[in-house]
Every structure is written in structure tokens, then in C-alpha cells.
Amino acid sequence: MEQAAEKTELSPAMKKLDRFAAGIAQPVTDFLEEMGKLVAFFIQIVKTSYSRKQYWDVVQYQLYQTGWRSVPIAVLAGVFVGGIFAIQIYENLLDFGAVAMLGGISASITVREVGPLMIALLLGGRIGAFTAAELGTMNVTDQIDAMRCLATDPVKYLVVPRFYAMIVMSWVLTIIGIVIGVLGASIVSMVILDVNPYLFFSNVASLVDLYSFISGLVKSMFFGVLISTVSCYYGFHVRGGAEEVGRNVNKTVVVLGIGLLGADYILAVLNDAIYMAFFAAK
């Protein structure tokens, strides 16, 4: 037996390789398990959202919290991002003598890519972190368990209204961010870069069509679903005390930052594929 044990014992190099493989496998397993729970939580939200009875008064309150109170941030971000775009694009177009395309390119990038992603990152940082902290605090103080004792479904009362509100206000704030971003780019172009207003807006219609606008709004809808699902999930799964609340808020911000960028890339690829398949030939 001792001889057999000696034969099956791993060499030092194999032991290092085994520890290295275990070190990689465990984080991957944890990540896949976390994603599986997140998807299951999303399916639970969708099933609950189809219920006939909803707490529409809570939905209205969340529309105010997530939407109206985020308008100033969306306006400020739109002005600055639009201005930065105008200055950066102007320098490049000036070298090629194509300043007339400044307005069209600025508006096209803002409508299709930057506007939805900019608003989503702002909402993820502000509303996502706030939601995770709020629900996490309710969890550790047993308020969510108290709802269950009173026969109130906490997913229907706490999560679904935030789910509805985030989708709607993502659209609204994206439209506001796009409009303000284009206006900011036009003001900077006219005041600082001395670009003729007619020249700025002359090519906007040719580069920004209805498909671009709709694809931007579809993106914002997916971003709203992602923000509400991730933030509510981490808020609902806080175990422990205040330290765990802070840890889950941090997880929410990190996951949303990476998730939104990854989702933006995937949606951009799908969007281009759909456009090339059905609209480019027309």
C-alpha cells in the first residue's frame, strides 16, 4: 500500500500545476454560478412583472426618483460630452477640409453610441449603487422578511416598480442626453470653433436617420433592464451587516460598469449586422 501511495503521489511540478488549475477553476466556477443566479433572478422579475396587480403608486415614485432627479446630471453630461466631441472631431476634419461634416458626425455618434451608453453609465453609478444600498439595508434590518410575513411579495413591491421605472426613464433620459449633447456640440462649434450654424446642421439629416434613433433607444432599454436587475439582485442578496452592504454596492458598480460596456459592444455588432442585412441595400 505504501508503495502504491508513493507511485500515485504527484511530483512537485505537477502539484504546482494542480494548484494553478485549481486557482483558475474556482473563480470561473464562482463567476458562472453568480451569472446563473443573476439570470434566475431576472426570470423571476419577468414572471412577476406579468402579474395583473401591480403597485403603480410605487412605480410613479420610482419614476420620480430614477428619472426626474437624474435630469440635471443628464443635462450637464450631455453639454460637456457634446462640447468635447465637437472639439475633438473638428481638429480631425479640419485636416481633410471636411468641417461641413462636423454636425452630422457629432449627432450620429451621440445618437447611436455615446448618448445611450453615457446615460446608462450615469444611471448605473447613481441609481444602481443607491438601489443596491437601499435594498441591502432593508435586507439586513429584516424589513424584506417582514414583508414576506405580511404576505407581500418583496419582488413585486420592491423590484418590479424599479424595473419598470428604469426602462422608461432610460428612454426619456437618453432622449434628453442626445438632444442636449447635439445642442452642446452646436454651441461649442459656433461660439468657440466659429463654425457657421447652417454648415453645422446641414448634414445632420443625411447621417442620422430613424433607424439610428430607434437603435439607440433599443440599446437604452437593454441598459435599463441590466441596471435594474443587477442592482436589485445584489441588494436582495446581502447577507450580514453594514460591511456586506458596502461590499455588494461595490460589486454592483463594478459589474454594471463592465456589463454595460460589454453589452454595448454586443449590441453594436448586432445593430450593424441587422442594418447591413435589411437596410444598407435600400
Side-chain angles (χ1 to χ4, degrees):
M1 293 293 291
E2 292 180 356
Q3 291 178 351
E6 289 178 358
K7 288 181 180 178
T8 56
E9 187 177 354
L10 297 176
S11 64
M14 290 300 294
K15 287 181 179 177
K16 288 183 180 179
L17 183 62
D18 185 58
R19 286 196 295 270
F20 178 73
I24 294 177
Q26 189 60 44
V28 172
T29 304
D30 293 343
F31 172 76
L32 293 177
E33 184 180 354
E34 193 81 358
M35 290 302 102
K37 291 179 180 177
L38 195 57
V39 172
F41 187 70
F42 170 70
I43 293 173
Q44 184 182 4
I45 295 173
V46 173
K47 286 182 178 177
T48 309
S49 65
Y50 277 110
S51 174
R52 182 175 297 176
K53 181 185 175 183
Q54 297 292 342
Y55 296 97
W56 295 114
D57 54 335
V58 184
V59 175
Q60 292 177 9
Y61 175 75
Q62 291 300 326
L63 286 171
Y64 169 77
Q65 285 289 338
T66 61
W68 177 249
R69 299 186 68 176
S70 299
V71 169
I73 299 175
V75 170
L76 284 175
V79 169
F80 287 122
V81 170
I84 292 169
F85 267 156
I87 292 174
Q88 295 295 327
I89 297 172
Y90 174 81
E91 295 295 335
N92 293 325
L93 293 178
L94 193 62
D95 296 336
F96 296 96
V99 177
M101 303 299 292
L102 177 60
I105 294 176
S106 299
S108 177
I109 295 174
T110 305
V111 169
R112 297 182 60 173
E113 297 295 336
V114 177
L117 183 60
M118 173 188 70
I119 296 300
L121 289 173
L122 288 174
L123 287 177
R126 180 178 181 273
I127 304 300
F130 176 78
T131 299
E134 185 181 27
L135 295 182
T137 304
M138 294 179 70
N139 208 1
V140 299
T141 54
D142 297 328
Q143 294 180 59
I144 293 179
D145 287 337
M147 285 184 185
R148 293 191 179 98
C149 293
L150 295 172
T152 300
D153 184 353
V155 174
K156 181 183 288 187
Y157 186 79
L158 296 174
V159 178
V160 173
R162 288 170 169 80
F163 186 72
Y164 285 147
M166 185 59 71
I167 292 174
V168 172
M169 295 316 300
S170 290
W171 281 336
V172 175
L173 292 172
T174 296
I175 293 173
I176 292 173
I178 288 172
V179 172
I180 297 298
V182 174
L183 287 176
S186 65
I187 292 171
V188 169
S189 300
M190 288 182 277
V191 175
I192 298 178
L193 304 176
D194 197 25
V195 176
N196 186 288
Y198 174 78
L199 197 64
F200 182 89
F201 288 104
S202 59
N203 288 306
V204 170
S206 61
L207 293 180
V208 181
D209 54 9
L210 183 61
Y211 179 81
S212 301
F213 186 71
I214 292 175
S215 65
L217 293 184
V218 171
K219 263 188 182 182
S220 68
M221 182 193 72
F222 280 102
F223 292 158
V225 169
L226 185 63
I227 294 169
S228 57
T229 302
V230 170
S231 59
C232 291
Y233 170 79
Y234 282 113
F236 249 62
H237 290 80
V238 169
R239 296 290 181 269
E243 184 179 352
E244 186 70 15
V245 174
R247 190 175 293 119
N248 275 24
V249 170
N250 187 43
K251 280 184 183 177
T252 301
V253 175
V254 173
V255 171
L256 281 178
I258 297 173
L260 288 171
L261 292 174
D264 185 57
Y265 173 77
I266 294 171
L267 292 173
V269 172
L270 291 175
N271 180 43
D272 286 344
I274 293 172
Y275 182 80
M276 295 301 294
F278 298 101
F279 300 99
K282 300 177 182 179

